[in-house]
């Protein structure tokens, strides 16, 4: 499938035979998320509601509303009776409108590859063997959090490796506010620069930006130097993670690779796509919505 965005991997999806709708491929989400606008268009029945969940940014909370899609189809593959969150998706002028997010409840049924350079999403049967590991490729095991996110160990120049979530649905790399304080990253802050962050929990203005000396996933791989990251409160994530997450590896860094997810073996393969992997790229404006 062709990805319709140059940074966030977005694809056209058919829902209940209608569409297409624009959905983000979101490895940082446990479930499918449908915007309340699309839910109204589909006349999607709400099967349960009540209480709130936690998400990054804003108030850190959003109302819990569940529905069930009769059919979700993408790239010639389809799934029936797909549970989904229904919630408001906050828009930002930095990107085109998004209708929803496809999380691991769907993605984990396949072997998937997000090829940022070719702007292609590949979906293959989960039991199909992957391509052999070539020189320069790196295969890294991930650990699943209790909240359903893939976490890897990362070196950002601190005394110890930290846990970072691999999140194709986030446009920016993130460092948690706790890590920012604990490791005195204030010395790395990009003075006079702040951004607006849009997340599941709402909108936050004046979010600080830091320039990390390094970012390298533990287990090997190319070292990235002078990486821009935004500082966010990840306590909402860590409440259900089971072990502390100190950051997020977003698509601003993942875009240097073809990223392959092998859910059967709990590994992620990073295949360099031939770009200048040392370059940090433009300052990241906004991370993707959280679920």
């Amino acid at each position: 499938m062709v990805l319709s965005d140059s940074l966030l991997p977005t694809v056209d999806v058919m829902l209940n035979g209608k569409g297409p709708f624009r959905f983000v491929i979101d490895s940082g989400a446990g479930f499918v998320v449908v915007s309340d606008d699309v839910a109204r268009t589909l006349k999607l029945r709400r099967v349960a509601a009540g209480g709130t969940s936690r998400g990054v940014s804003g108030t850190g909370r959003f109302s819990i509303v569940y529905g069930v899609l009769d059919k979700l189809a993408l790239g010639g593959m389809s799934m029936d009776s797909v549970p989904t969150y229904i919630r408001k998706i906050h828009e930002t002028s930095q990107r085109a409108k998004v209708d929803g997010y496809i999380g691991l409840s769907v993605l984990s049924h396949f072997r998937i590859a997000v090829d940022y350079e070719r702007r292609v999403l590949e979906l293959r049967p989960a039991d199909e063997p992957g391509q052999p590991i070539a020189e320069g490729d790196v295969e890294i095991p991930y650990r699943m959090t209790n909240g359903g996110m893939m976490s890897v160990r990362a070196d950002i120049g601190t005394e110890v490796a930290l846990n970072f979530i691999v999140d194709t649905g986030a446009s920016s790399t993130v460092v948690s506010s706790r890590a920012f304080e604990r490791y005195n990253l204030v010395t790395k802050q990009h003075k006079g620069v702040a951004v607006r962050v849009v997340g599941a929990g709402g909108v936050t203005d004046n979010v600080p930006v830091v320039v990390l000396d390094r970012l390298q996933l533990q287990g090997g791989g190319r070292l990235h130097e002078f990486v821009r990251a935004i500082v966010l409160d990840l306590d909402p994530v860590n409440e259900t993670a089971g072990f502390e997450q100190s950051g997020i590896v977003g698509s601003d860094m993942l875009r240097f690779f073809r990223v392959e997810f092998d859910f059967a073996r709990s590994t992620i393969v990073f295949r360099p796509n031939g770009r200048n992997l040392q370059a940090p790229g433009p300052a990241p404006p906004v991370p993707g919505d959280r679920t």
Side-chain angles (χ1 to χ4, degrees):
M1 294 186 64
V2 176
L3 299 176
S4 56
D5 193 292
S6 60
L7 184 55
L8 282 181
T10 55
V11 295
D12 288 338
V13 176
M14 300 295 291
L15 304 176
N16 296 352
K18 297 180 180 180
F21 300 101
R22 190 170 184 263
F23 271 56
V24 176
I25 300 300
D26 190 355
S27 66
F31 293 91
V32 172
V33 176
V34 171
S35 73
D36 47 9
D37 289 340
V38 170
R40 283 191 291 269
T41 298
L42 298 177
K43 298 181 180 179
L44 190 62
R45 184 171 63 90
R46 302 185 176 198
V47 298
T52 59
S53 185
R54 299 297 304 273
V56 173
S57 193
T59 63
R61 294 187 178 276
F62 61 93
S63 298
I64 297 175
V65 180
Y66 293 105
V68 177
L69 294 165
D70 293 333
K71 178 171 287 189
L72 183 153
L74 71 160
M77 298 186 180
S78 65
M79 296 184 66
D80 297 330
S81 301
V82 179
T84 180
Y85 277 120
I86 301 170
R87 66 168 174 82
K88 178 179 176 61
I89 294 180
H90 302 276
E91 295 183 30
T92 173
S93 60
Q94 278 85 8
R95 67 180 181 214
K97 181 180 179 181
V98 169
D99 296 311
Y101 294 80
I102 300 178
L104 298 184
S105 61
V106 168
L107 299 179
S108 61
H109 288 270
F110 308 100
R111 172 188 288 274
I112 72 168
V114 180
D115 192 322
Y116 286 86
E117 184 174 40
R118 295 170 55 229
R119 294 177 65 171
V120 169
L121 170 70
E122 295 181 7
L123 296 173
R124 300 182 184 277
D127 58 355
E128 182 175 302
Q131 298 179 13
I133 302 299
E135 183 178 356
D137 296 345
V138 177
E139 185 176 37
I140 297 177
Y142 66 80
R143 181 182 177 189
M144 192 68 75
T145 72
N146 292 344
M149 298 180 180
M150 291 178 287
S151 177
V152 298
R153 301 286 279 173
D155 175 10
I156 63 169
T158 57
E159 296 176 355
V160 296
L162 305 176
N163 298 310
F164 272 58
I165 296 165
V166 177
D167 189 356
T168 59
S171 60
S172 300
T173 293
V174 174
V175 171
S176 73
S177 53
R178 289 186 182 273
F180 179 77
E181 296 171 1
R182 183 180 300 151
Y183 300 105
N184 194 30
L185 296 180
V186 66
T187 61
K188 311 296 183 183
Q189 186 168 344
H190 200 322
K191 302 298 183 183
V193 176
V195 297
R196 188 181 213 218
V197 174
V198 180
V203 179
T204 302
D205 290 307
N206 299 317
V207 175
V209 176
V210 297
V211 181
L212 303 175
D213 292 338
R214 60 190 291 144
L215 174 60
Q216 185 173 33
L217 301 186
Q218 197 171 56
R222 188 177 295 270
L223 170 68
H224 294 260
E225 297 179 314
F226 309 117
V227 174
R228 293 182 177 90
I230 59 176
V231 181
L232 285 177
D233 179 9
L234 294 188
D235 284 355
V237 171
N238 285 320
E239 283 184 2
T240 59
F243 56 104
E244 184 177 1
Q245 303 304 302
S246 296
I248 296 170
V249 181
S251 281
D252 59 331
M253 297 305 299
L254 299 176
R255 67 190 173 101
F256 295 111
F257 303 92
R258 171 189 165 94
V259 185
E260 300 176 5
F261 297 92
D262 187 339
F263 298 103
R265 298 178 59 242
S266 298
T267 61
I268 306 172
V269 178
F270 297 86
R271 303 184 190 271
N273 62 12
R275 294 180 181 176
N276 179 3
L277 303 183
Q278 292 289 97
V286 184
D289 286 12
R290 323 284 340 136
T291 56

mmCIF file of all heavy atoms in Angstrom, residues 16-46:
data_model
loop_
_atom_site.group_PDB
_atom_site.id
_atom_site.type_symbol
_atom_site.label_atom_id
_atom_site.label_comp_id
_atom_site.label_asym_id
_atom_site.label_seq_id
_atom_site.Cartn_x
_atom_site.Cartn_y
_atom_site.Cartn_z
ATOM 1 N N ASN A 16 -16.662 -0.475 7.084
ATOM 2 C CA ASN A 16 -18.052 -0.887 6.832
ATOM 3 C C ASN A 16 -18.466 -0.621 5.388
ATOM 4 O O ASN A 16 -19.594 -0.224 5.093
ATOM 5 C CB ASN A 16 -19.009 -0.177 7.797
ATOM 6 C CG ASN A 16 -18.763 -0.555 9.249
ATOM 7 O OD1 ASN A 16 -17.975 -1.459 9.539
ATOM 8 N ND2 ASN A 16 -19.413 0.137 10.168
ATOM 9 N N GLY A 17 -17.495 -0.814 4.468
ATOM 10 C CA GLY A 17 -17.778 -0.640 3.056
ATOM 11 C C GLY A 17 -17.790 0.795 2.577
ATOM 12 O O GLY A 17 -18.079 1.061 1.402
ATOM 13 N N LYS A 18 -17.452 1.739 3.462
ATOM 14 C CA LYS A 18 -17.460 3.149 3.084
ATOM 15 C C LYS A 18 -16.053 3.721 3.201
ATOM 16 O O LYS A 18 -15.207 3.216 3.919
ATOM 17 C CB LYS A 18 -18.429 3.934 3.968
ATOM 18 C CG LYS A 18 -19.883 3.485 3.819
ATOM 19 C CD LYS A 18 -20.803 4.311 4.718
ATOM 20 C CE LYS A 18 -22.253 3.854 4.552
ATOM 21 N NZ LYS A 18 -23.166 4.643 5.417
ATOM 22 N N GLY A 19 -15.840 4.834 2.489
ATOM 23 C CA GLY A 19 -14.547 5.487 2.538
ATOM 24 C C GLY A 19 -14.089 5.896 1.159
ATOM 25 O O GLY A 19 -14.909 6.042 0.245
ATOM 26 N N PRO A 20 -12.792 6.075 0.952
ATOM 27 C CA PRO A 20 -11.731 5.763 1.924
ATOM 28 C C PRO A 20 -11.577 6.830 2.997
ATOM 29 O O PRO A 20 -11.910 7.992 2.779
ATOM 30 C CB PRO A 20 -10.485 5.696 1.048
ATOM 31 C CG PRO A 20 -10.775 6.657 -0.077
ATOM 32 C CD PRO A 20 -12.245 6.536 -0.338
ATOM 33 N N PHE A 21 -11.052 6.392 4.145
ATOM 34 C CA PHE A 21 -10.722 7.270 5.250
ATOM 35 C C PHE A 21 -9.212 7.235 5.465
ATOM 36 O O PHE A 21 -8.549 6.235 5.160
ATOM 37 C CB PHE A 21 -11.448 6.834 6.527
ATOM 38 C CG PHE A 21 -12.946 6.852 6.408
ATOM 39 C CD1 PHE A 21 -13.653 5.682 6.197
ATOM 40 C CD2 PHE A 21 -13.643 8.051 6.489
ATOM 41 C CE1 PHE A 21 -15.036 5.694 6.083
ATOM 42 C CE2 PHE A 21 -15.022 8.080 6.374
ATOM 43 C CZ PHE A 21 -15.728 6.897 6.176
ATOM 44 N N ARG A 22 -8.673 8.321 6.001
ATOM 45 C CA ARG A 22 -7.227 8.459 6.162
ATOM 46 C C ARG A 22 -6.822 8.051 7.582
ATOM 47 O O ARG A 22 -7.159 8.735 8.548
ATOM 48 C CB ARG A 22 -6.832 9.913 5.889
ATOM 49 C CG ARG A 22 -5.335 10.172 5.791
ATOM 50 C CD ARG A 22 -5.102 11.592 5.272
ATOM 51 N NE ARG A 22 -3.693 11.867 5.058
ATOM 52 C CZ ARG A 22 -2.930 12.498 5.935
ATOM 53 N NH1 ARG A 22 -3.433 12.921 7.073
ATOM 54 N NH2 ARG A 22 -1.657 12.722 5.671
ATOM 55 N N PHE A 23 -6.097 6.934 7.701
ATOM 56 C CA PHE A 23 -5.714 6.390 9.002
ATOM 57 C C PHE A 23 -4.194 6.332 9.125
ATOM 58 O O PHE A 23 -3.486 6.041 8.158
ATOM 59 C CB PHE A 23 -6.282 4.981 9.188
ATOM 60 C CG PHE A 23 -7.661 4.956 9.793
ATOM 61 C CD1 PHE A 23 -8.704 5.644 9.202
ATOM 62 C CD2 PHE A 23 -7.904 4.254 10.959
ATOM 63 C CE1 PHE A 23 -9.975 5.625 9.758
ATOM 64 C CE2 PHE A 23 -9.172 4.229 11.537
ATOM 65 C CZ PHE A 23 -10.212 4.923 10.926
ATOM 66 N N VAL A 24 -3.715 6.579 10.335
ATOM 67 C CA VAL A 24 -2.293 6.480 10.639
ATOM 68 C C VAL A 24 -1.977 5.055 11.081
ATOM 69 O O VAL A 24 -2.709 4.457 11.884
ATOM 70 C CB VAL A 24 -1.902 7.465 11.765
ATOM 71 C CG1 VAL A 24 -0.437 7.285 12.156
ATOM 72 C CG2 VAL A 24 -2.165 8.901 11.332
ATOM 73 N N ILE A 25 -0.885 4.497 10.547
ATOM 74 C CA ILE A 25 -0.374 3.215 11.041
ATOM 75 C C ILE A 25 0.368 3.514 12.338
ATOM 76 O O ILE A 25 1.417 4.151 12.338
ATOM 77 C CB ILE A 25 0.566 2.564 10.014
ATOM 78 C CG1 ILE A 25 -0.175 2.297 8.703
ATOM 79 C CG2 ILE A 25 1.159 1.276 10.570
ATOM 80 C CD1 ILE A 25 -1.363 1.363 8.849
ATOM 81 N N ASP A 26 -0.169 3.057 13.463
ATOM 82 C CA ASP A 26 0.270 3.531 14.775
ATOM 83 C C ASP A 26 0.749 2.373 15.648
ATOM 84 O O ASP A 26 -0.045 1.716 16.324
ATOM 85 C CB ASP A 26 -0.881 4.274 15.453
ATOM 86 C CG ASP A 26 -0.456 5.014 16.704
ATOM 87 O OD1 ASP A 26 0.720 4.880 17.102
ATOM 88 O OD2 ASP A 26 -1.283 5.728 17.285
ATOM 89 N N SER A 27 2.064 2.132 15.643
ATOM 90 C CA SER A 27 2.621 1.066 16.473
ATOM 91 C C SER A 27 2.618 1.430 17.959
ATOM 92 O O SER A 27 2.925 0.585 18.801
ATOM 93 C CB SER A 27 4.053 0.742 16.029
ATOM 94 O OG SER A 27 4.923 1.838 16.265
ATOM 95 N N GLY A 28 2.275 2.675 18.282
ATOM 96 C CA GLY A 28 2.207 3.097 19.674
ATOM 97 C C GLY A 28 0.808 3.032 20.254
ATOM 98 O O GLY A 28 0.574 3.502 21.370
ATOM 99 N N ALA A 29 -0.131 2.444 19.515
ATOM 100 C CA ALA A 29 -1.511 2.320 19.988
ATOM 101 C C ALA A 29 -1.882 0.851 20.095
ATOM 102 O O ALA A 29 -1.554 0.050 19.223
ATOM 103 C CB ALA A 29 -2.470 3.029 19.031
ATOM 104 N N GLY A 30 -2.582 0.510 21.150
ATOM 105 C CA GLY A 30 -3.000 -0.867 21.328
ATOM 106 C C GLY A 30 -4.224 -1.222 20.505
ATOM 107 O O GLY A 30 -4.420 -2.384 20.149
ATOM 108 N N PHE A 31 -5.057 -0.210 20.200
ATOM 109 C CA PHE A 31 -6.327 -0.472 19.536
ATOM 110 C C PHE A 31 -6.502 0.426 18.318
ATOM 111 O O PHE A 31 -5.702 1.325 18.059
ATOM 112 C CB PHE A 31 -7.489 -0.224 20.515
ATOM 113 C CG PHE A 31 -7.542 -1.199 21.650
ATOM 114 C CD1 PHE A 31 -6.891 -0.931 22.844
ATOM 115 C CD2 PHE A 31 -8.231 -2.390 21.531
ATOM 116 C CE1 PHE A 31 -6.927 -1.827 23.903
ATOM 117 C CE2 PHE A 31 -8.277 -3.304 22.570
ATOM 118 C CZ PHE A 31 -7.627 -3.021 23.763
ATOM 119 N N VAL A 32 -7.582 0.177 17.597
ATOM 120 C CA VAL A 32 -7.997 1.063 16.525
ATOM 121 C C VAL A 32 -8.735 2.246 17.149
ATOM 122 O O VAL A 32 -9.473 2.094 18.118
ATOM 123 C CB VAL A 32 -8.927 0.324 15.539
ATOM 124 C CG1 VAL A 32 -9.529 1.285 14.517
ATOM 125 C CG2 VAL A 32 -8.159 -0.781 14.832
ATOM 126 N N VAL A 33 -8.497 3.421 16.590
ATOM 127 C CA VAL A 33 -9.190 4.633 17.028
ATOM 128 C C VAL A 33 -9.916 5.222 15.824
ATOM 129 O O VAL A 33 -9.333 5.359 14.749
ATOM 130 C CB VAL A 33 -8.206 5.676 17.593
ATOM 131 C CG1 VAL A 33 -8.949 6.969 17.951
ATOM 132 C CG2 VAL A 33 -7.485 5.132 18.813
ATOM 133 N N VAL A 34 -11.180 5.564 16.012
ATOM 134 C CA VAL A 34 -11.983 6.204 14.971
ATOM 135 C C VAL A 34 -12.422 7.567 15.493
ATOM 136 O O VAL A 34 -12.864 7.685 16.645
ATOM 137 C CB VAL A 34 -13.213 5.348 14.615
ATOM 138 C CG1 VAL A 34 -14.163 6.111 13.693
ATOM 139 C CG2 VAL A 34 -12.783 4.052 13.955
ATOM 140 N N SER A 35 -12.300 8.595 14.664
ATOM 141 C CA SER A 35 -12.712 9.924 15.093
ATOM 142 C C SER A 35 -14.222 9.967 15.298
ATOM 143 O O SER A 35 -14.974 9.222 14.654
ATOM 144 C CB SER A 35 -12.303 10.976 14.062
ATOM 145 O OG SER A 35 -13.120 10.895 12.912
ATOM 146 N N ASP A 36 -14.667 10.842 16.176
ATOM 147 C CA ASP A 36 -16.107 10.954 16.414
ATOM 148 C C ASP A 36 -16.842 11.422 15.160
ATOM 149 O O ASP A 36 -17.999 11.062 14.929
ATOM 150 C CB ASP A 36 -16.402 11.863 17.608
ATOM 151 C CG ASP A 36 -15.634 13.165 17.587
ATOM 152 O OD1 ASP A 36 -14.980 13.469 16.559
ATOM 153 O OD2 ASP A 36 -15.680 13.894 18.587
ATOM 154 N N ASP A 37 -16.160 12.200 14.299
ATOM 155 C CA ASP A 37 -16.780 12.627 13.034
ATOM 156 C C ASP A 37 -17.063 11.424 12.134
ATOM 157 O O ASP A 37 -18.145 11.308 11.550
ATOM 158 C CB ASP A 37 -15.868 13.614 12.292
ATOM 159 C CG ASP A 37 -15.806 14.964 12.969
ATOM 160 O OD1 ASP A 37 -16.724 15.279 13.766
ATOM 161 O OD2 ASP A 37 -14.838 15.713 12.714
ATOM 162 N N VAL A 38 -16.084 10.532 11.998
ATOM 163 C CA VAL A 38 -16.269 9.343 11.175
ATOM 164 C C VAL A 38 -17.318 8.429 11.789
ATOM 165 O O VAL A 38 -18.134 7.833 11.081
ATOM 166 C CB VAL A 38 -14.934 8.598 10.988
ATOM 167 C CG1 VAL A 38 -15.152 7.229 10.344
ATOM 168 C CG2 VAL A 38 -13.984 9.423 10.143
ATOM 169 N N ALA A 39 -17.307 8.308 13.114
ATOM 170 C CA ALA A 39 -18.310 7.474 13.785
ATOM 171 C C ALA A 39 -19.720 7.965 13.472
ATOM 172 O O ALA A 39 -20.637 7.153 13.247
ATOM 173 C CB ALA A 39 -18.070 7.474 15.291
ATOM 174 N N ARG A 40 -19.898 9.291 13.427
ATOM 175 C CA ARG A 40 -21.221 9.825 13.083
ATOM 176 C C ARG A 40 -21.562 9.539 11.621
ATOM 177 O O ARG A 40 -22.702 9.196 11.285
ATOM 178 C CB ARG A 40 -21.257 11.328 13.362
ATOM 179 C CG ARG A 40 -21.402 11.677 14.834
ATOM 180 C CD ARG A 40 -21.701 13.150 15.030
ATOM 181 N NE ARG A 40 -20.553 13.985 14.682
ATOM 182 C CZ ARG A 40 -19.623 14.346 15.555
ATOM 183 N NH1 ARG A 40 -19.693 13.943 16.818
ATOM 184 N NH2 ARG A 40 -18.606 15.111 15.180
ATOM 185 N N THR A 41 -20.566 9.671 10.733
ATOM 186 C CA THR A 41 -20.790 9.387 9.315
ATOM 187 C C THR A 41 -21.224 7.941 9.111
ATOM 188 O O THR A 41 -22.124 7.647 8.308
ATOM 189 C CB THR A 41 -19.500 9.657 8.506
ATOM 190 O OG1 THR A 41 -19.163 11.043 8.615
ATOM 191 C CG2 THR A 41 -19.684 9.294 7.045
ATOM 192 N N LEU A 42 -20.591 7.019 9.833
ATOM 193 C CA LEU A 42 -20.899 5.593 9.706
ATOM 194 C C LEU A 42 -22.108 5.186 10.531
ATOM 195 O O LEU A 42 -22.565 4.038 10.421
ATOM 196 C CB LEU A 42 -19.697 4.760 10.152
ATOM 197 C CG LEU A 42 -18.392 4.906 9.366
ATOM 198 C CD1 LEU A 42 -17.299 4.068 10.009
ATOM 199 C CD2 LEU A 42 -18.589 4.500 7.919
ATOM 200 N N LYS A 43 -22.584 6.117 11.374
ATOM 201 C CA LYS A 43 -23.648 5.792 12.326
ATOM 202 C C LYS A 43 -23.232 4.605 13.183
ATOM 203 O O LYS A 43 -23.986 3.652 13.406
ATOM 204 C CB LYS A 43 -24.962 5.513 11.601
ATOM 205 C CG LYS A 43 -25.491 6.716 10.821
ATOM 206 C CD LYS A 43 -26.810 6.421 10.125
ATOM 207 C CE LYS A 43 -27.297 7.652 9.359
ATOM 208 N NZ LYS A 43 -28.567 7.394 8.638
ATOM 209 N N LEU A 44 -21.980 4.692 13.637
ATOM 210 C CA LEU A 44 -21.382 3.606 14.403
ATOM 211 C C LEU A 44 -22.003 3.541 15.792
ATOM 212 O O LEU A 44 -22.018 4.534 16.530
ATOM 213 C CB LEU A 44 -19.870 3.833 14.512
ATOM 214 C CG LEU A 44 -19.018 2.700 15.060
ATOM 215 C CD1 LEU A 44 -19.122 1.471 14.170
ATOM 216 C CD2 LEU A 44 -17.560 3.148 15.174
ATOM 217 N N ARG A 45 -22.513 2.382 16.139
ATOM 218 C CA ARG A 45 -23.185 2.216 17.426
ATOM 219 C C ARG A 45 -22.160 2.150 18.549
ATOM 220 O O ARG A 45 -21.156 1.444 18.448
ATOM 221 C CB ARG A 45 -24.033 0.949 17.416
ATOM 222 C CG ARG A 45 -24.843 0.737 18.693
ATOM 223 C CD ARG A 45 -25.817 -0.399 18.504
ATOM 224 N NE ARG A 45 -25.132 -1.659 18.253
ATOM 225 C CZ ARG A 45 -24.757 -2.496 19.231
ATOM 226 N NH1 ARG A 45 -24.976 -2.173 20.503
ATOM 227 N NH2 ARG A 45 -24.152 -3.631 18.924
ATOM 228 N N ARG A 46 -22.417 2.877 19.603
ATOM 229 C CA ARG A 46 -21.546 2.856 20.778
ATOM 230 C C ARG A 46 -21.990 1.711 21.687
ATOM 231 O O ARG A 46 -23.112 1.701 22.189
ATOM 232 C CB ARG A 46 -21.610 4.188 21.518
ATOM 233 C CG ARG A 46 -21.206 5.360 20.627
ATOM 234 C CD ARG A 46 -21.146 6.661 21.372
ATOM 235 N NE ARG A 46 -20.672 7.749 20.507
ATOM 236 C CZ ARG A 46 -20.195 8.900 20.939
ATOM 237 N NH1 ARG A 46 -20.126 9.137 22.243
ATOM 238 N NH2 ARG A 46 -19.779 9.813 20.093
#
